[in-house]
């Protein structure tokens, strides 16, 4: 298999070639390694490349039989391989002795895990520039951010290293880098995917795992293999569609009521490109037979602060709890230089958070979710910008300070529409729609009621067919 053929196919397509014996899994692996050798020195997406792929289930019927894959270096634990979270302090932890359930499902689907991808330290940023590993660079323009926190995975997919890669999302960390790198990024419904056995309830339900991909069908096929709560999970998975998510793409989305909204806080500035992307998408969806019209959110203007407040409380409270647990495991706290200032500050702020404060933040989020759910009485899907604008240049989101409140505010000023659905638990997908004047990707976000993942995938697939997604210059030049 030559490089051009490898880059032209998504994961489902590669698995089909291997299954038909048009190519071997090793030929596909060699093509992936060729792209890694040329692309990764430029983009710094992979922070640990294995000498050999992790063990996987060899089953020709598996949906991703023989397809190269990467794990984000947080979540998705892999037996015998350390997870650093891009933190020099966490790097001292012993490797896990079992796979996470999600990792086991990746292996069972035939995915060949080649290594680990970059992220901001502990995932706490909207750009991927950790002190430990250095910045990941955007394949559309190497001077620009990949987004975060799944920026290494997004850069690898956008550069053509792998067709899809593992990602996680606590306030938009799947969707932000998907938008920044011109990819598809679905945050599934709360409870849809396993998080055990290493975790119980990350950020009180804010965090979901998933993938970033170049095609909607890869995202749908990945959801099929990931879907379903694991034993003892705190949330039940919503009902999956009969026949699965990939099969649902065989039929177009039915005519839908699609609301458009870009309400935001006064400290947010939307770029002309973000608004242009909305107009372009509304026109496309109308041409596809949907009723598209502006709609107001069923909340008070002040409630737009809620996602920031809830996320801030969860980050700080869990940073404090994690710090205590890590100190007990390692027998010491972080030494100078082992953790970035913003993460040390988050743990300190969490130690000063009272139990009453924490419970109040949970209630605030739950009340917000109840109010937001009234939206679905009037529309089936909500269309918003993905981000406030195209990806910024590297260096725009410093972590060498201790103002956690301002750090969160700056993050969510850049991504004012994503954290809403971490709080509500509802599914949301980002797809690319256009490029800025500087040639950078600009995406939109579609959200749906809890359990509406199939509807979002159908709608995104219809858009992809009608308006094929562009590839990064790094891929297009190959």
């Amino acid at each position: 298999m030559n490089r051009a053929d490898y880059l032209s196919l998504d994961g489902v397509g590669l698995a089909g070639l291997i299954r038909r014996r048009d190519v071997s899994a090793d030929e596909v692996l060699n093509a992936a390694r060729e792209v890694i050798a040329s692309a990764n020195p430029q983009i710094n997406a992979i922070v640990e490349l294995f000498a050999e792929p992790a063990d996987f289930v060899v089953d020709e019927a598996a949906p991703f039989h023989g397809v190269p894959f990467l794990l984000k270096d947080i979540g998705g634990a892999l037996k015998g391989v350390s997870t650093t979270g891009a933190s020099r302090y966490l790097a001292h932890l012993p490797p896990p002795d079992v796979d996470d359930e999600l990792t086991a499902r990746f292996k069972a689907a035939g995915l060949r895990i080649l290594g680990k991808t970059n992220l901001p330290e502990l995932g706490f940023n909207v750009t991927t520039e950790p002190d430990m590993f250095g910045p990941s660079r955007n394949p559309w323009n190497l001077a620009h951010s990949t987004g975060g926190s799944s920026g290494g995975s997004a850069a690898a997919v956008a550069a053509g290293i792998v067709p899809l890669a593992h990602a996680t999302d606590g306030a938009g960390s799947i969707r932000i880098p998907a938008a920044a790198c011109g990819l598809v990024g679905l945050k599934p419904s709360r409870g849809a995917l396993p998080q055990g056995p290493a975790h119980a309830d990350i950020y009180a339900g804010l965090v979901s795992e998933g993938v970033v991909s170049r095609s909607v069908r890869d995202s749908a096929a990945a959801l099929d293999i990931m879907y379903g709560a694991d034993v003892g999970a705190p949330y039940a998975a919503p009902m999956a569609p009969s026949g699965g998510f990939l099969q649902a793409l065989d039929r177009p989305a039915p005519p839908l009521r699609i609301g458009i909204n870009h309400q935001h806080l006064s400290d947010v500035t939307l770029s002309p490109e973000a608004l242009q992307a909305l107009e372009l998408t509304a026109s496309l969806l109308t041409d596809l037979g949907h009723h598209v019209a502006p709609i107001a959110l069923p909340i008070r203007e002040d409630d737009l602060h809620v996602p920031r407040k809830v996320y801030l409380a969860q980050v700080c409270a869990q940073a404090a709890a994690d710090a205590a647990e890590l100190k007990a495991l390692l027998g010491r706290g972080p030494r100078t230089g082992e953790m970035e200032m913003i993460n040390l500050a988050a743990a300190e702020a969490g130690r000063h958070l009272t139990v009453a404060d924490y419970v109040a933040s949970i209630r605030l989020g739950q009340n917000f979710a109840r109010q937001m759910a009234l939206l679905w009485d009037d529309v089936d899907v909500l269309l918003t910008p993905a981000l406030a604008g195209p990806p910024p240049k590297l260096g725009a989101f410093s972590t060498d300070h201790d103002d956690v409140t301002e750090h969160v505010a700056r993050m969510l000023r850049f991504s004012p529409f994503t954290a809403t659905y971490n709080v509500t638990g509802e599914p949301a997908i980002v797809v690319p729609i256009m490029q800025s004047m500087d040639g950078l990707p600009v995406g939109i976000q579609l959200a749906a009621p809890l359990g509406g993942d199939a509807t979002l995938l159908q709608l995104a697939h219809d858009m992809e067919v009608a308006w094929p997604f562009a590839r990064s210059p790094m891929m297009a030049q190959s």
Side-chain angles (χ1 to χ4, degrees):
M1 163 169 268
N2 63 39
R3 179 189 177 104
D5 289 340
Y6 177 74
L7 293 174
S8 71
L9 295 167
D10 64 1
V12 172
L14 287 171
L17 283 185
I18 297 168
R19 195 174 296 115
R20 295 191 299 271
R21 292 182 170 78
D22 293 332
V23 297
S24 70
D26 284 344
E27 288 175 306
V28 171
L29 175 62
N30 289 337
R33 290 198 182 280
E34 181 184 344
V35 181
I36 290 169
S38 62
N40 199 59
Q42 300 181 67
I43 61 173
N44 191 33
I46 301 172
V47 295
E48 183 175 5
L49 181 63
F50 304 151
E52 294 295 333
D55 293 339
F56 69 107
V57 176
V58 179
D59 177 1
E60 291 188 1
F64 289 109
H65 173 55
V67 174
F69 189 70
L70 294 163
L71 290 175
K72 183 177 178 180
D73 197 20
I74 198 168
L78 180 63
K79 181 181 178 181
V81 177
S82 295
T83 296
T84 73
S87 167
R88 293 183 175 94
Y89 180 48
L90 267 67
H92 293 285
L93 288 170
D97 56 7
V98 295
D99 289 336
D100 272 358
E101 173 61 23
L102 185 61
T103 306
R105 293 183 188 185
F106 288 145
K107 290 181 174 181
L111 289 164
R112 304 185 80 178
I113 300 171
L114 308 185
K116 295 284 199 85
T117 62
N118 204 1
L119 71 153
E121 187 182 71
L122 305 183
F124 190 29
N125 211 344
V126 291
T127 187
T128 299
E129 304 176 49
D131 288 348
M132 182 177 181
F133 295 128
S136 289
R137 297 180 179 275
N138 196 315
W140 291 79
N141 185 319
L142 298 179
H144 285 255
S145 171
T146 61
S149 64
S150 306
S153 290
V157 174
I161 289 173
V162 289
L164 72 165
H166 170 239
T168 67
D169 193 315
S173 288
I174 290 173
R175 291 159 290 154
I176 295 166
C181 294
L183 304 175
V184 179
L186 171 70
K187 182 201 79 67
S189 291
R190 181 174 293 152
L193 305 188
Q195 293 184 330
H199 308 288
D201 186 12
I202 310 173
Y203 285 17
L206 297 189
V207 173
S208 177
E209 299 193 53
V211 300
V212 287
S213 72
R214 290 195 302 268
S215 73
V216 177
R217 75 170 181 173
D218 268 3
S219 285
L223 192 57
D224 278 330
I225 63 107
M226 296 185 292
Y227 206 82
D230 52 337
V231 175
Y235 306 103
M239 183 75 69
S242 176
F245 294 98
L246 181 59
Q247 193 177 105
L249 303 188
D250 292 339
R251 50 190 184 274
L256 297 168
R257 302 167 299 163
I258 300 176
I260 309 174
N261 185 279
H262 56 79
Q263 289 174 257
H264 53 77
L265 292 168
S266 60
D267 63 352
V268 172
T269 301
L270 298 184
S271 71
E273 293 97 334
L275 297 174
Q276 184 184 348
L278 275 191
E279 294 176 6
L280 182 60
T281 306
S283 177
L284 175 60
L285 292 172
T286 299
D287 290 345
L288 289 171
H290 305 289
H291 176 73
V292 185
I295 190 168
L297 299 179
I299 56 175
R300 300 169 302 153
E301 184 175 346
D302 190 57
D303 288 338
L304 293 169
H305 286 282
V306 170
R308 287 189 194 179
K309 291 178 179 178
V310 173
Y311 177 67
L312 177 63
Q314 287 299 326
V315 164
C316 294
Q318 301 216 18
D322 291 345
E325 183 177 344
L326 288 166
K327 186 174 183 179
L329 287 169
L330 295 173
R332 64 173 179 85
R335 298 186 179 115
T336 301
E338 284 190 328
M339 189 171 286
E340 294 173 21
M341 189 183 300
I342 197 66
N343 281 305
L344 292 170
E348 182 62 22
R351 284 188 279 269
H352 291 89
L353 195 70
T354 68
V355 173
D357 292 337
Y358 182 77
V359 171
S361 77
I362 297 288
R363 290 176 177 173
L364 185 66
Q366 291 173 345
N367 290 336
F368 176 82
R370 288 181 183 275
Q371 282 300 120
M372 280 293 293
L374 298 174
L375 178 69
W376 310 123
D377 292 339
D378 300 312
V379 296
D380 303 303
V381 170
L382 186 69
L383 166 65
T384 73
L387 303 173
K393 287 189 174 181
L394 293 168
F397 295 94
S398 171
T399 59
D400 61 351
H401 64 92
D402 61 4
D403 192 338
V404 184
T405 301
E406 176 57 19
H407 182 66
V408 168
R410 293 184 68 221
M411 290 168 61
L412 298 191
R413 284 197 289 268
F414 174 58
S415 181
F417 306 101
T418 55
T420 294
Y421 302 99
N422 298 89
V423 175
T424 67
E426 295 159 341
I429 193 169
V430 158
V431 296
I433 194 69
M434 57 174 273
Q435 287 84 52
S436 70
M437 290 287 289
D438 295 327
L440 294 163
V442 180
I444 56 87
Q445 177 178 254
L446 300 164
L450 195 69
D453 307 64
T455 297
L456 294 181
L457 288 164
Q458 285 178 311
L459 194 56
H461 183 253
D462 294 346
M463 292 172 63
E464 181 182 27
V465 170
W467 191 273
F469 305 149
R471 301 195 307 170
S472 77
M474 191 171 283
M475 285 190 68
Q477 291 166 7
S478 299

